[in-house]
Amino acid sequence: MDLSMVGNLTDPAILFFFVGLLVGAVRSNLEIPAPVAKFLSLYLLMAIGFKGGQALGQTGVTDAAVRVVAIGVVLALAIPALGFVVLRRRIDHFDAAAIAATYGSVSAVTFIAGTQFLTARGDAPGGYLTVALVLMESPAIIMAVLLATWARARRHVTEQATVLAGVHGPPQPPTASGVTAGHPVPTPPMSMRAILHEAFTDGAHLVLIGSLVVGAASGPTGGRAMAPFVDGVFTGLLAFFLLEMGLLVARQLREARDVGPFLVGFAIGMPLVGATLALALGTVAGLSVGDLALLAVLAASGSYIVVPAVVRYAIPEARPSRYFTMALAVTFPFNIVIGIPLYHAAARALVG
Amino acid sequence: MDLSMVGNLTDPAILFFFVGLLVGAVRSNLEIPAPVAKFLSLYLLMAIGFKGGQALGQTGVTDAAVRVVAIGVVLALAIPALGFVVLRRRIDHFDAAAIAATYGSVSAVTFIAGTQFLTARGDAPGGYLTVALVLMESPAIIMAVLLATWARARRHVTEQATVLAGVHGPPQPPTASGVTAGHPVPTPPMSMRAILHEAFTDGAHLVLIGSLVVGAASGPTGGRAMAPFVDGVFTGLLAFFLLEMGLLVARQLREARDVGPFLVGFAIGMPLVGATLALALGTVAGLSVGDLALLAVLAASGSYIVVPAVVRYAIPEARPSRYFTMALAVTFPFNIVIGIPLYHAAARALVG
Amino acid sequence: MDLSMVGNLTDPAILFFFVGLLVGAVRSNLEIPAPVAKFLSLYLLMAIGFKGGQALGQTGVTDAAVRVVAIGVVLALAIPALGFVVLRRRIDHFDAAAIAATYGSVSAVTFIAGTQFLTARGDAPGGYLTVALVLMESPAIIMAVLLATWARARRHVTEQATVLAGVHGPPQPPTASGVTAGHPVPTPPMSMRAILHEAFTDGAHLVLIGSLVVGAASGPTGGRAMAPFVDGVFTGLLAFFLLEMGLLVARQLREARDVGPFLVGFAIGMPLVGATLALALGTVAGLSVGDLALLAVLAASGSYIVVPAVVRYAIPEARPSRYFTMALAVTFPFNIVIGIPLYHAAARALVG
Amino acid sequence: MQHVKRLDLVVGSRVATRFLEALDTLGLPHRTVIPGVHGYGQHGPRGSDPFATFDNTYLLVAVPPDRVDEVVAALQPLLQEVGGMCLVSDARWV
Amino acid sequence: MQHVKRLDLVVGSRVATRFLEALDTLGLPHRTVIPGVHGYGQHGPRGSDPFATFDNTYLLVAVPPDRVDEVVAALQPLLQEVGGMCLVSDARWV
Amino acid sequence: MQHVKRLDLVVGSRVATRFLEALDTLGLPHRTVIPGVHGYGQHGPRGSDPFATFDNTYLLVAVPPDRVDEVVAALQPLLQEVGGMCLVSDARWV
Ligand SMILES: Nc1ncnc2c1ncn2[C@@H]1O[C@H](COP(=O)(O)O)[C@@H](O)[C@H]1O
Ligand SMILES: Nc1ncnc2c1ncn2[C@@H]1O[C@H](COP(=O)(O)O)[C@@H](O)[C@H]1O
Ligand SMILES: Nc1ncnc2c1ncn2[C@@H]1O[C@H](COP(=O)(O)O)[C@@H](O)[C@H]1O
Ligand code: NA
Ligand code: NA
Ligand code: NA
């Protein structure tokens, strides 16, 4: 494992993440323009989707593919349930539901970093892992919304919500005693139908699925034509994107007021639990090292894109300064630096 | 032809166009940031300009080059004249002039898709086709402006125009009965001098010409240095751009209120007529399969960039919701999916 | 030398600079979106930093490296001092300090163009030149700020400054007689501490240093993974960036009201003096042709990024319409077209 | 120069079309749109993730003063449902 | 805090320089410029094509109240010729 | 519709956070932020270099009328120190 870890720390893309962290920490004026960052995130989704589709197109739907995807879906249901059970005793139920959704879903960037890491070490995972990535994104969101609805019912309808249903909110938060003080319940939560629409028509989601299909459909000729784009410049653009992620994490860490020791512990412990579950199920199912390790990475990762985007409207009572910050500022770097090499080492030890 | 058509539908770039269409149809939040889309469009022009210039630099001005370019210019004058004659009996003269200009000019993205398609099938067209692309862009605009001036003279100077010459328009359209109802004549049209300046100093136009010259001037060494950029990542960036085109077409289709069956028919019929003309003239002139097919693609394509941009000011009486929508939402997809393989098959049958 | 110069004028990247100049001169609507231009500038810094780091990582800190960097730092102190002595007799002391800083510092884009030129001609400079680039950026700024402080002290505290310390400036300049007329002293200059923070945490600066470290740390495996990004598409993206630089220079030339013949002379003479100094010191130190020529390029170049950005706040009394315009609109094109081939020819003659 | 009412709306980019369609329905199609806007309101931060999946759009609409009440009445339920800000102020149209 | 007049202009990006030069000529060089703005007005949609060849630019200019008539007089012919919107309103300058 | 004061700030992108933090401290976290804004003021041109290292950020903040003096007092020293523009005007909040 030691060698692997050192290996990850000489990967230029990962190193640029640290450059971003440091540059952000000294409060430099460095800024990746938002349109470029958005382009890079779409590019990464397109590239991994396409490559996954190509791999799938070559192998077809194998037995291993079915097993990986099945375990993935099981994990996507088990992890948020487990997370909620742990959290509900210690924190507000709405926060608990949102955090459970965060860890039940997955992080595409962590998935990409994991794929890079494993491929560089000769344990390339199968293309169907990309299908697992797609399918593991949404179940946790729906489960969390149901949990929040249940919590809302238990709390009865508060007077505040009633008032808010009648008028649009005031220009600034009612209390003048600082940001964190009041956490007013905003406009009423979205309908279930709207939530499902948001979750399933999310742009990032659809680009990933679309690229998967295009990759599978366009065969070796298409693959060769796209290779310089989806393979050649991939590491470089990933490095650029991780530079931005580093800047973002540095900024987020500065504002991490609402995350205490318990939640930091959860943000590190939950990934380890998730990865362990994945490693156990995957070993029983006889997965290869690469598939096993990447499934553990998926299980361990927390979503800081789709989930916060939807949950913000679906569970407005929960604080983004908790679930978003935990996933982005604690779990993401943890997985990148320690998690990925660790899960790989464990997979090697188990089935290597 | 069947094989070719299937071929086009496994091209990743074309497939991403369909992904964009579908994603747009389900009203996803997917959005390519405008600065990135603009960059991609400039990149595509730069790449085809440079590659055309390189090819020209190698072959010099051949006999075939002269014939292709000459036919191109003839078509750029004949097609808008023909279009106007057909349209003026059925629709408003200003709309007729604008639509004629649209189909008389050309679409660079269709040109690129055609080049990709033909090259992949071993019928690579000559670099001078890029010169034809450049020269076919503007004549139709100038012709349309003259037609509009003539139409304006016939209508006499209306009172409305007189009034508008005195005051800047009101904050919102005068009639409150919906958008399509009133189509107020806005500020007076541009002077001919201003129109020519707009048409010839258009950024896209100049990037194309500039890249053509740079490609021709920089020889094999320059070509090698630029290859990974203009060739390597080309398909990938084109795919990304066509994803955006798909989103745009989907949006445009939703707003296609002003295009009835007659105009839809025109938007499909006119390309076929233009292509037929090109195939006829090109066969007589003894062009190769690739040159012939791409010339047909040019003749069949309608401009949705330069022409609408200039015509908006030059013929303010015409409705963009007609000419722009027809070129972008009907003709462009038609050519991409059906037209290009069809013209190629015809060219093969004629001179193959 | 003649051949080399012609050589530079068939380099596609340099040719695109001229395309930009011409397109800008005819006042086309061409515009590279700002977020893309910013991305490209960060990309270029990342690529040269990474490549420099890779080269350094391979060779280690050689004797030649130490000599090059030492001479670079000497030049970064000598050139601004010399510049100030020349300028202070003819122009305002604040302008003199700002211009001295401009020419004491360096231009990364000129450095890149020089590296491309030399590498293409078989005289590739060492990776440690990138270290020189980094170290030569800031000393001149600090020196200029000290000079300005001294000038400010000599002038006593003017009444105007006293007034301004009390109120924020008015909405528009007090005099209504045109832009250039009044040059009001704005808000009080920054503290030395703030200036140092600005200079050392500047984003461009840190990306360069960070990439240098990542390049050195990530070894041959990292280098191979990044190659298509930092090498493959480099010329193409540089060409795109120089297109934008051409547009910018054309715009700047139109607004060059405050630069008279003396300052134009300085903007061409100072680079020649700087290059001569570098060539002399470097020849004595026994540098190779590539190292010597690129050091001369660094000495000859003037900063139009970091220096203006910092000096605007550090010496608010100086006019950007002088120092910025000189560096960007005169010295930059001069070096690109004439300077680089000239310094290379001189280096060959001296040590080739 | 005539008097107009100026509406400054900041709404989620994804739902901006709904506001614009409401204005279209009222026969008020003229507008200015600034994309890629960040913000912080009752629904927390918007636009500051590198994915910009959920940023805001700024809409500026000048309407004749006698139509402003109608416009506000049409937009209020939308603001209620999907959040956002709407400021109304006075201006003169040149 | 002194009173100022605030001008909000939305004009074609390509012609924005002409407006800015007119302001320069009046000795009013201070301004704020937002590029990449979309819109819909008498000249139809602007800025929503992926080529953004013809988008708008937003100009915000604060001028002393006594100079606003002069400014409006200088800009009106330009608005007449190339289109665009200009709103004038009151503000205080901090 | 209640009365609010609208603050339009244009400040260097690099120092924008300092303004926003000052507002946070006052318990006024709601705001709209437009990045990538160009301009020209007492500190010369901003945002028009291709490096955009030093462009402006536009901040729009609606605050209750009774808090505007407090806000202005908090922002004035910052404007003094790092430059920028701040306009205050009246609006109604829908
Ligand atoms: N008081 C305010 N001042 C300025 N902008 C605001 C204010 N309140 C809300 N906004 C903007 O409106 C967007 C949506 O608001 P909300 O739905 O309250 O989250 C926010 O992201 C801000 O951009
Ligand atoms: N009533 C309005 N409200 C807001 N923006 C407008 C209005 N009218 C025109 N504009 C803006 O001004 C630009 C040019 O207007 P026009 O020349 O009328 O097409 C449009 O693209 C819009 O961005
Ligand atoms: N009178 C004005 N009108 C509009 N914007 C202004 C004005 N004065 C300053 N600004 C903006 O505020 C920024 C900073 O101003 P300054 O610190 O004076 O350079 C400028 O770059 C402009 O964007
Ligand atoms: Na997970
Ligand atoms: Na045509
Ligand atoms: Na220098």
Side-chain angles (χ1 to χ4, degrees):
Chain A
M1 192 201 119
D2 290 50
L3 260 176
S4 297
M5 271 192 68
V6 170
N8 209 14
L9 291 179
T10 64
D11 179 322
I14 303 297
L15 287 172
F16 272 107
F17 175 69
F18 287 102
V19 171
L21 270 182
L22 288 174
V23 170
V26 301
R27 291 173 168 259
S28 161
N29 63 338
L30 183 62
E31 229 176 46
I32 314 295
V36 171
K38 188 170 179 187
F39 166 71
L40 292 177
S41 77
L42 291 176
Y43 162 79
L44 292 176
L45 294 172
M46 190 165 164
I48 56 164
F50 187 84
K51 288 192 277 189
Q54 283 270 311
L56 263 187
Q58 269 160 38
T59 59
V61 180
T62 60
D63 205 48
V66 173
R67 274 175 285 151
V68 162
V69 170
I71 301 178
V73 173
V74 168
L75 291 167
L77 294 166
I79 292 175
L82 187 66
F84 186 71
V85 169
V86 172
L87 290 164
R88 60 174 291 209
R89 300 169 197 208
R90 303 285 300 262
I91 61 170
D92 177 85
H93 286 188
F94 295 109
D95 281 343
I99 297 173
T102 301
Y103 288 89
S105 184
V106 290
S107 148
V109 184
T110 312
F111 175 86
I112 290 167
T115 309
Q116 290 276 98
F117 182 86
L118 296 169
T119 308
R121 274 150 201 84
D123 287 327
Y128 36 85
L129 261 299
T130 315
V131 179
L133 168 67
V134 168
L135 292 179
M136 289 172 80
E137 233 172 12
S138 311
I141 304 179
I142 294 155
M143 193 182 286
V145 171
L146 295 176
L147 290 170
T149 310
W150 164 83
R152 219 169 275 130
R154 273 187 30 152
R155 272 212 322 191
H156 311 295
V157 180
T158 68
E159 341 66 82
Q160 199 176 10
T162 323
V163 169
L164 276 165
V167 297
H168 183 236
Q172 295 284 349
T175 164
S177 51
V179 189
T180 49
H183 179 62
V185 179
T187 47
M190 278 174 141
S191 72
M192 194 59 174
R193 204 170 144 264
I195 288 159
L196 290 177
H197 186 263
E198 289 280 324
F200 289 116
T201 66
D202 176 69
H205 205 72
L206 293 183
V207 165
L208 191 55
I209 296 174
S211 309
L212 199 63
V213 173
V214 171
S218 60
T221 319
R224 269 191 302 279
M226 294 287 282
F229 185 64
V230 298
D231 278 327
V233 295
F234 188 83
T235 309
L237 289 175
L238 177 62
F240 214 99
F241 187 74
L242 288 180
L243 177 69
E244 159 72 2
M245 289 293 297
L247 291 170
L248 186 73
V249 168
R251 205 155 62 222
Q252 202 63 32
L253 280 174
R254 273 208 294 278
E255 294 171 6
R257 308 185 205 92
D258 282 348
V259 179
F262 170 68
L263 290 180
V264 170
F266 186 89
I268 290 172
M270 194 66 217
L272 293 173
V273 172
T276 306
L277 267 178
L279 289 167
L281 291 176
T283 305
V284 171
L287 303 186
S288 71
V289 173
D291 291 4
L292 187 58
L294 196 56
L295 200 64
V297 169
L298 279 174
S301 74
S303 166
Y304 42 81
I305 310 186
V306 180
V307 169
V310 176
V311 162
R312 188 167 301 172
Y313 287 86
I315 316 180
E317 300 92 340
R319 273 165 276 191
S321 54
R322 290 194 149 175
Y323 55 87
F324 180 66
T325 305
M326 285 165 69
L328 182 62
V330 183
T331 305
F332 174 72
F334 171 77
N335 276 328
I336 293 292
V337 182
I338 299 173
I340 293 173
L342 188 66
Y343 314 143
H344 180 226
R348 279 220 171 142
L350 286 166
V351 302
Chain B
M1 191 201 121
D2 290 50
L3 261 177
S4 298
M5 271 192 67
V6 171
N8 208 14
L9 291 178
T10 64
D11 179 322
I14 303 297
L15 287 171
F16 271 107
F17 176 69
F18 287 102
V19 171
L21 271 181
L22 288 174
V23 170
V26 300
R27 291 172 166 260
S28 162
N29 62 339
L30 183 62
E31 228 176 47
I32 315 295
V36 171
K38 188 170 179 187
F39 166 70
L40 292 177
S41 77
L42 291 176
Y43 162 79
L44 292 175
L45 294 171
M46 189 165 164
I48 56 164
F50 187 85
K51 288 191 278 190
Q54 283 270 311
L56 263 186
Q58 268 160 38
T59 58
V61 181
T62 61
D63 205 46
V66 173
R67 273 175 287 151
V68 162
V69 170
I71 302 177
V73 173
V74 169
L75 290 167
L77 294 167
I79 293 175
L82 187 66
F84 186 71
V85 169
V86 172
L87 290 164
R88 60 174 290 210
R89 298 167 199 210
R90 303 284 302 260
I91 61 170
D92 177 84
H93 286 187
F94 295 109
D95 281 344
I99 297 173
T102 300
Y103 287 89
S105 184
V106 289
S107 148
V109 184
T110 313
F111 175 86
I112 290 166
T115 308
Q116 290 276 99
F117 182 85
L118 296 168
T119 308
R121 274 148 201 83
D123 288 327
Y128 36 85
L129 261 300
T130 314
V131 179
L133 168 67
V134 168
L135 292 179
M136 289 172 80
E137 234 173 11
S138 312
I141 304 179
I142 294 155
M143 193 182 286
V145 171
L146 295 175
L147 290 170
T149 310
W150 164 82
R152 219 169 275 130
R154 273 186 31 149
R155 272 212 322 190
H156 310 296
V157 179
T158 69
E159 342 66 80
Q160 200 175 10
T162 323
V163 170
L164 276 165
V167 296
H168 184 236
Q172 295 284 350
T175 164
S177 52
V179 190
T180 50
H183 179 62
V185 179
T187 48
M190 276 173 141
S191 71
M192 193 58 175
R193 200 167 149 267
I195 288 159
L196 291 176
H197 185 264
E198 288 280 324
F200 290 115
T201 65
D202 177 67
H205 205 72
L206 294 184
V207 165
L208 191 55
I209 297 175
S211 308
L212 198 65
V213 173
V214 171
S218 59
T221 318
R224 268 192 303 279
M226 294 288 281
F229 185 65
V230 298
D231 278 326
V233 296
F234 188 83
T235 309
L237 289 174
L238 176 62
F240 214 99
F241 187 74
L242 288 180
L243 177 68
E244 159 71 2
M245 289 293 296
L247 291 170
L248 186 74
V249 168
R251 205 155 60 221
Q252 202 64 30
L253 281 174
R254 273 207 295 279
E255 295 171 6
R257 308 185 205 94
D258 283 349
V259 179
F262 169 68
L263 291 181
V264 170
F266 187 89
I268 290 172
M270 193 67 216
L272 293 173
V273 171
T276 306
L277 267 179
L279 290 167
L281 291 176
T283 305
V284 171
L287 303 187
S288 70
V289 173
D291 290 3
L292 186 58
L294 196 56
L295 199 65
V297 169
L298 280 174
S301 73
S303 167
Y304 43 82
I305 309 186
V306 180
V307 170
V310 176
V311 162
R312 188 167 301 173
Y313 288 87
I315 317 180
E317 300 92 341
R319 272 165 277 190
S321 54
R322 291 194 148 175
Y323 56 86
F324 180 67
T325 305
M326 285 165 68
L328 182 63
V330 184
T331 305
F332 174 72
F334 171 76
N335 276 327
I336 293 293
V337 181
I338 298 174
I340 293 173
L342 188 66
Y343 314 143
H344 180 225
R348 278 218 172 145
L350 286 166
V351 302
Chain C
M1 191 200 122
D2 289 51
L3 261 177
S4 297
M5 271 192 68
V6 171
N8 208 15
L9 291 178
T10 65
D11 180 322
I14 303 297
L15 287 171
F16 272 107
F17 176 69
F18 287 102
V19 171
L21 271 181
L22 288 174
V23 170
V26 301
R27 291 171 167 259
S28 161
N29 63 338
L30 183 63
E31 229 175 46
I32 314 295
V36 171
K38 188 170 179 187
F39 165 70
L40 292 178
S41 77
L42 291 176
Y43 162 78
L44 292 175
L45 294 171
M46 190 166 164
I48 57 165
F50 187 84
K51 288 191 279 190
Q54 284 269 311
L56 263 187
Q58 268 160 39
T59 59
V61 180
T62 60
D63 205 48
V66 174
R67 273 175 286 151
V68 163
V69 171
I71 301 178
V73 173
V74 169
L75 291 167
L77 295 167
I79 293 175
L82 187 66
F84 185 71
V85 169
V86 172
L87 291 164
R88 60 174 290 210
R89 299 168 198 210
R90 302 285 300 262
I91 60 170
D92 177 85
H93 285 187
F94 294 109
D95 281 343
I99 297 173
T102 300
Y103 287 89
S105 184
V106 290
S107 148
V109 184
T110 313
F111 176 85
I112 290 166
T115 308
Q116 290 275 97
F117 182 86
L118 296 169
T119 308
R121 275 149 200 82
D123 288 326
Y128 37 84
L129 261 300
T130 315
V131 179
L133 169 67
V134 168
L135 293 179
M136 289 171 80
E137 233 172 11
S138 311
I141 304 180
I142 294 156
M143 194 182 285
V145 171
L146 295 175
L147 290 170
T149 311
W150 164 81
R152 218 169 275 130
R154 272 186 32 151
R155 274 212 321 191
H156 310 295
V157 180
T158 68
E159 343 67 79
Q160 198 175 12
T162 323
V163 169
L164 276 164
V167 297
H168 183 236
Q172 294 285 350
T175 164
S177 51
V179 190
T180 49
H183 179 63
V185 179
T187 47
M190 278 174 140
S191 73
M192 194 58 174
R193 202 168 147 266
I195 288 159
L196 290 176
H197 186 263
E198 289 280 324
F200 289 116
T201 66
D202 176 68
H205 204 73
L206 293 184
V207 165
L208 191 56
I209 296 175
S211 308
L212 198 65
V213 173
V214 171
S218 60
T221 318
R224 269 191 303 279
M226 294 289 282
F229 185 65
V230 297
D231 279 326
V233 296
F234 187 83
T235 309
L237 290 175
L238 177 61
F240 215 99
F241 187 74
L242 287 180
L243 176 69
E244 159 72 3
M245 289 293 297
L247 291 170
L248 186 75
V249 169
R251 205 155 62 223
Q252 203 62 32
L253 281 174
R254 274 208 294 280
E255 295 171 6
R257 309 185 205 93
D258 282 348
V259 178
F262 170 69
L263 290 181
V264 170
F266 186 89
I268 290 173
M270 194 66 217
L272 294 174
V273 172
T276 306
L277 267 179
L279 290 166
L281 291 177
T283 305
V284 172
L287 303 187
S288 70
V289 173
D291 290 4
L292 186 59
L294 196 56
L295 199 65
V297 169
L298 279 174
S301 73
S303 166
Y304 43 81
I305 309 185
V306 180
V307 169
V310 175
V311 162
R312 189 167 301 173
Y313 288 87
I315 317 181
E317 300 92 341
R319 272 166 276 190
S321 53
R322 291 194 149 174
Y323 56 87
F324 180 66
T325 305
M326 286 165 68
L328 181 64
V330 184
T331 305
F332 174 71
F334 171 77
N335 276 328
I336 293 292
V337 182
I338 298 173
I340 293 173
L342 188 66
Y343 314 143
H344 180 225
R348 279 219 170 142
L350 285 167
V351 302
Chain D
M1 289 203 288
Q2 56 183 290
H3 281 278
V4 290
K5 288 287 177 181
R6 152 185 189 147
L7 282 93
D8 290 86
L9 285 147
V10 184
V11 300
S13 294
R14 178 154 192 185
V15 295
T17 325
R18 293 179 61 186
F19 287 84
L20 296 175
E21 282 168 0
L23 290 164
D24 279 348
T25 309
L26 295 171
L28 301 166
H30 292 187
R31 77 262 318 217
T32 294
V33 177
I34 307 180
V37 168
H38 303 197
Y40 188 92
Q42 293 177 78
H43 294 92
R46 289 187 67 94
S48 42
D49 59 308
F51 320 101
T53 322
F54 288 77
D55 56 7
N56 289 322
T57 294
Y58 194 118
L59 310 175
L60 170 62
V61 190
V63 301
D66 58 325
R67 304 211 53 195
V68 72
D69 292 336
E70 199 186 335
V71 174
V72 166
L75 300 184
Q76 213 147 17
L78 269 171
L79 289 167
Q80 209 62 252
E81 189 192 336
V82 296
M85 170 175 83
C86 176
L87 298 178
V88 179
S89 52
D90 293 308
R92 280 177 310 148
W93 174 271
V94 176
Chain E
M1 288 203 289
Q2 57 183 290
H3 281 278
V4 290
K5 289 285 178 182
R6 151 185 189 146
L7 282 92
D8 289 86
L9 285 148
V10 184
V11 300
S13 294
R14 179 155 191 184
V15 295
T17 325
R18 294 178 60 185
F19 287 85
L20 295 175
E21 282 168 1
L23 290 164
D24 280 348
T25 309
L26 296 170
L28 301 166
H30 292 187
R31 79 257 323 212
T32 294
V33 178
I34 307 179
V37 168
H38 303 198
Y40 188 93
Q42 293 177 78
H43 294 91
R46 290 186 68 94
S48 42
D49 60 309
F51 320 100
T53 322
F54 287 77
D55 57 6
N56 289 322
T57 294
Y58 194 119
L59 310 176
L60 170 62
V61 191
V63 300
D66 57 325
R67 303 212 52 197
V68 71
D69 292 335
E70 197 187 337
V71 174
V72 165
L75 300 184
Q76 212 147 17
L78 268 170
L79 288 166
Q80 209 61 253
E81 187 192 340
V82 296
M85 171 174 83
C86 177
L87 298 178
V88 180
S89 53
D90 292 307
R92 281 178 309 148
W93 175 272
V94 175
Chain F
M1 289 202 289
Q2 56 183 290
H3 281 278
V4 289
K5 288 285 178 183
R6 151 186 189 146
L7 283 92
D8 289 87
L9 285 148
V10 184
V11 299
S13 293
R14 178 153 192 185
V15 293
T17 326
R18 294 179 60 185
F19 287 84
L20 295 175
E21 281 168 0
L23 290 163
D24 280 348
T25 309
L26 295 171
L28 301 166
H30 292 186
R31 79 261 318 218
T32 294
V33 178
I34 307 180
V37 169
H38 303 197
Y40 188 93
Q42 294 177 78
H43 294 92
R46 290 187 67 94
S48 42
D49 61 308
F51 320 101
T53 322
F54 287 76
D55 56 6
N56 288 322
T57 294
Y58 194 118
L59 311 175
L60 170 62
V61 191
V63 302
D66 58 324
R67 304 211 53 195
V68 71
D69 292 335
E70 197 186 337
V71 174
V72 166
L75 300 185
Q76 213 147 17
L78 269 170
L79 288 166
Q80 209 62 253
E81 188 192 338
V82 295
M85 169 174 83
C86 177
L87 298 178
V88 179
S89 52
D90 293 307
R92 281 178 310 149
W93 175 271
V94 175

